Amino acid sequence: MPIMISARSADSPEPDLDLAGPVLQVAPRLLNAVVRHGEVAVRLTEVEAYDGADDPASHAYRGRTPRNAVMFGPPGFLYVYFSYGVHWAANVVCGPDGKSSAVLLRAGEVIDGHEVARTRRGPRVKDRDLARGPGRLAQALGLTGEHGGGYLFGDGPVRLIPAAAPPAEIATGPRVGVSVAADRPWRFWIAGDPYVSAYRRSPRAPAVG
DNA sequence: TCGCTGATCATCT
DNA sequence: GATGATCAGCGAA
């Protein structure tokens, strides 16, 4: 099990997208951006911010471990983790080097490579559901742990293309699935976009009151 | 449409 | 040994 943390060398291209700012500013800028892995490309419609050591819901909250080490590095890298023993979920590391913040890619629209995506997701899956949800998005793109640590702006297999145009309207709300700090409105999605995941509050989150 | 539940395992305590 | 940044399938309404 090699630990795959690739450092961006000095002559690597700079990110095409400024990811080094505060995660709450970076996250909404990822909306309408496109993630491409081979034939499959996904336009992002929904993301979620995780603010490193200041965020009880972040995987980086309890400090650096082998799994989350890439989050503590420079922005522009993929953090991919295995969730619930079943799914992979992909994050874009952002914020300044050492801040350990990241943005979870929650949902998107498959805009290229539908056939390949459907091969991975299943023959009966509707287009709308191909990448609507973190696990689904990673599966549609074929992202697994082996892509973790990859740089999104170099010549690696996974690329992040900045949004051609910002969304007309961005909505925010509580994060999904987290059992702590669920009240922080750090989920961002494109208002009215059908390719946004269905909202399900964590059953472990405290009741709204 | 809503709510519930099993699946399944890497990671951390 | 417990816990999830989830999903699909099911049954009820």
Side-chain angles (χ1 to χ4, degrees), chain A residues 29-196:
Chain A
R29 285 206 296 270
L30 292 177
L31 297 173
N32 265 356
V34 171
V35 179
R36 175 175 284 277
H37 180 211
E39 295 180 50
V40 180
V42 170
R43 175 183 64 92
L44 301 177
T45 60
E46 180 182 351
V47 298
E48 224 165 55
Y50 287 87
D51 196 20
D54 300 326
D55 182 358
S58 169
H59 286 173
Y61 182 59
R62 293 168 195 283
R64 180 177 177 138
T65 68
R67 176 175 71 158
N68 66 24
V70 68
M71 297 175 80
F72 288 79
F77 288 80
L78 267 181
Y79 167 54
V80 185
Y81 69 93
F82 197 51
S83 173
Y84 289 92
V86 195
H87 299 287
W88 295 95
N91 299 249
V92 174
V93 175
C94 64
D97 195 350
K99 183 66 174 67
S100 70
S101 56
V103 176
L104 171 66
L105 310 182
R106 282 204 56 89
E109 173 193 8
V110 174
I111 59 173
D112 196 15
H114 293 78
E115 291 187 13
V116 175
R118 184 165 283 102
T119 299
R120 295 173 177 142
R121 290 275 296 119
R124 304 181 53 162
V125 175
K126 293 173 297 204
D127 276 7
R128 187 178 184 232
D129 291 331
L130 282 176
R132 195 168 62 127
R136 295 161 164 184
L137 184 148
Q139 188 178 18
L141 281 168
L143 297 180
T144 67
E146 69 181 281
H147 302 103
Y151 188 51
L152 290 163
F153 302 97
D155 53 8
V158 188
R159 307 281 313 235
L160 180 60
I161 298 100
E169 187 182 351
I170 296 175
T172 69
R175 294 179 291 188
V176 177
V178 302
S179 55
V180 294
D183 55 319
R184 301 187 189 190
W186 288 359
R187 182 168 69 114
F188 300 85
W189 67 95
I190 301 176
D193 196 298
Y195 295 88
V196 168

